[in-house]
Amino acid sequence: MPLTKPKETEALKVYHQYWDSYFNRDVATFGTTLDEAYEMIGTSSSEICHNKADGIAFLQAQITEVVGKVEMRNRTISSKQVNNMFLILENCDIYVAGEPEWNFYSKLRLSTLLHETASGWKVLQQHGSIPDGKVQEGETLAFQKISKENLELRDAVKRRTAELENKNRELEIEAALERVRGLTMAMHSSEDMGKCIIKMFSELTALGVDEGTRFGIGILNHDNENNQLWTARKDGDEVKMHIGNIDMASHPLLKSARKAWKAQIPFHKYVLEGEDLLNYYRMLNNAPDYKIQIPLEKLPKKEIQHCFIFEHGFFYAFSPREFQPDLIHITKRFSSLFEQTYRRYLDLVKAESQALEAQIEAALERVRSCSLAMHKSEELHKVIFVVAEQIAGLDIYYDSVHFLDIQEDGGLEMWVATLSQHYAPKIFVPYLDHPFFNQLIKAKKEGIELHSRVLDFEEKNSFFHHFYKNTIAKSTPDERKQFVFQSKGLAWSSFPANSLSLLIANYQARPYSDQENEVFKRFANVFEQAYTRFLDLQKAEAQAREAQIEAALERVRSRTMAMHHTEELKEVIQVVFDQFVGLNINVEHAGFILDYKEREDMHIWLADHQQGVPTEITIPYFES
């Protein structure tokens, strides 16, 4: 039965809505024009939809590619009824946006089938095709043109493949650089720089550098020949970092690298072979501040150092084979990237230095506050405990911290704080002819500002045998003694402060670094203030004691001068006894011996805690 004209009009209206919403990016309206069983076959292999959801997804995927860049022009639209549906046929020209105007792309043929549903007319099926431009009139397939185009296509594919390979290589390199860059930006401490160098090692080996290559960074300065090295090398399956310092004047290779750095020559190469190669690795294995050991028997016959110079030093690679231009170019890019890494490293070092300085200053302030809070000289042991706590808080290892007062006879008065053992507030250690005593005495006499020394196992144990035997520390628990006697040795740094010294020691026999000693020195300077307060308190206490004694004597003197009868002497002895008690002198009794004569009975006025008043007592004479 033929459909009415209004029905056809409604179907065409939905058809136009379909395309308007498509080109206006109106996904919601576009969805309302589709049937749930929507089918679509377009002009390309990807343009296939089997339901409404596929159709909406297809529109969303094509929006950025098509909308605003493609137009349908010269449209001719016709419709005809097919059973109870309308088939809408459209021919049009496709134009694409270009500069300065729109350009013709292709003709397009569309067949769209709509059917009526309870909610209105819906697009049920659609098919689109583009005419084959190769076919000439009267032909079904363009065989000659296809053959010619296939040859042209083959050449184009070769060119494009080479382009893609180059592009893929570039993307591979850039991805490797980005991974290193990401690790660089994620650095939280200066110690993380080693991880960045190891990452560079792995990325460069993945890009074709020989696994036997050693990569590293040399940081140089203009003031001296010292060079800080950070080297990554393969050791079995593991990549290890070696960090240290080396003298740039110790081998021709290093001299030439420093010369290239001073001249800022971008790329420098040095070939090691024969005796020159052996001399270099002998020097490297014996370098005191660079802990690396490379087996001389496993050395290649020839090795090439490739140096890539940047502002603060050079990025280097030792390889048994010379780098090809492509590899040199890649490694240069990694070297340039390391400049960013090193700037980040310097920023972190500066930030860590500032944070450490604030931490040190806070620790010193705690010591200063504790010092100023002292009310009695005997509270000095509290200060040494605070010093010990603050040094531990700075992550500096020690086994004991001391205040030392070297006596005239060479004995030591010391206040001690340790990580685990609590000692008495003050310990006296008698002199022993031993390096520990003799070195400290010598340093004091010569006024040495910093005195450092390391005792070996035997020297350390002979000192501690003396210490535990001759001091109140003899009651130290056996576990602590065992720990001390089994330890490797004794290393200390001491700093004089007035007549006392601050001494920090460890039983690992590890000398303290210059940076650690600098921190200790600052504690010693603050302690000097504490000791000044200690001396002030001692003086004030002595003056107060003297005033207390003088007042007591004056009371005795006054009562003596007030006597009118000899019997009042018993009242005087009571005053004497009371003054002893008032001065915190531990006395059981006090007495005056009356009219003393040798080998006769003894007559005494006696005052004590038990008697309410002094009593005259007689002790008969006996041989004693």
Side-chain angles (χ1 to χ4, degrees), residues 552-580 590-592 594 604-608 611-616:
L553 291 171
E554 188 55 41
R555 293 185 193 100
V556 174
R557 193 179 294 116
S558 298
R559 185 64 192 87
T560 302
M561 298 304 295
M563 282 196 304
H564 295 292
H565 305 287
T566 56
E567 283 196 5
E568 291 181 57
L569 194 60
K570 66 180 180 180
E571 296 176 15
V572 176
I573 194 58
Q574 183 64 49
V575 173
V576 170
F577 179 80
D578 291 342
Q579 300 316 302
F580 284 146
F592 288 147
L594 307 176
I604 305 172
W605 280 111
L606 193 68
D608 60 23
Q611 305 292 334
V613 293
T615 306
E616 184 180 3

Side-chain angles (χ1 to χ4, degrees), residues 355-374:
L356 179 61
E357 177 58 30
Q359 194 179 359
I360 293 170
E361 195 51 52
L364 294 173
E365 188 54 41
R366 293 184 191 102
V367 174
R368 197 176 289 118
S369 298
C370 181
S371 305
L372 294 174
M374 284 195 301

Side-chain angles (χ1 to χ4, degrees), residues 342-540:
Y342 191 66
R343 287 193 199 98
R344 171 93 174 137
Y345 167 77
L346 292 177
D347 290 342
L348 287 169
V349 168
K350 183 178 178 182
E352 288 166 358
S353 175
Q354 290 171 341
L356 179 61
E357 177 58 30
Q359 194 179 359
I360 293 170
E361 195 51 52
L364 294 173
E365 188 54 41
R366 293 184 191 102
V367 174
R368 197 176 289 118
S369 298
C370 181
S371 305
L372 294 174
M374 284 195 301
H375 296 296
K376 299 176 183 176
S377 57
E378 58 201 49
E379 292 178 358
L380 189 62
H381 76 282
K382 293 181 181 178
V383 180
I384 192 64
F385 279 113
V386 173
V387 170
E389 285 173 358
Q390 299 312 308
I391 291 175
L394 295 172
D395 292 328
I396 299 175
Y397 180 81
Y398 66 85
D399 286 295
S400 58
V401 179
H402 311 251
F403 290 152
L404 298 179
D405 188 2
I406 302 173
Q407 307 294 297
E408 290 295 327
D409 63 356
L412 295 174
E413 255 188 7
M414 59 171 63
W415 292 258
V416 186
T418 73
L419 290 166
S420 57
Q421 174 68 19
H422 291 285
Y423 287 99
K426 183 166 69 173
I427 297 175
F428 177 73
V429 189
Y431 173 75
L432 174 70
D433 185 8
H434 185 278
F436 184 77
F437 288 88
N438 297 336
Q439 290 290 328
L440 288 172
I441 292 168
K442 181 182 177 184
K444 181 180 178 181
K445 284 181 180 176
E446 295 178 0
I448 297 172
E449 187 177 281
L450 162 63
H451 175 238
S452 296
R453 179 71 195 267
V454 178
L455 300 182
D456 62 25
F457 183 80
E458 297 298 333
E459 290 174 323
K460 178 261 299 178
N461 282 355
S462 63
F463 167 76
F464 277 106
H465 278 300
H466 173 74
F467 176 78
Y468 289 127
K469 182 181 178 182
N470 296 284
T471 71
I472 58 175
K474 62 181 70 175
S475 61
T476 298
D478 289 340
E479 286 182 15
R480 176 69 181 179
K481 290 180 181 177
Q482 188 177 10
F483 163 72
V484 172
F485 285 125
Q486 289 178 351
S487 295
K488 186 177 180 181
L490 176 65
W492 78 79
S493 293
S494 70
F495 304 81
N498 289 325
S499 63
L500 288 189
S501 294
L502 172 65
L503 183 142
I504 300 93
N506 69 74
Y507 305 148
Q508 297 177 345
R510 181 184 71 81
Y512 287 106
S513 66
D514 292 341
Q515 291 85 353
E516 289 169 329
N517 282 327
E518 191 59 36
V519 172
F520 297 153
K521 182 181 176 183
R522 293 173 68 179
F523 274 94
N525 291 337
V526 169
F527 165 67
E528 197 162 353
Q529 300 172 13
Y531 190 64
T532 300
R533 179 160 174 78
F534 169 76
L535 294 177
D536 290 343
L537 287 170
Q538 269 195 333
K539 183 178 178 181

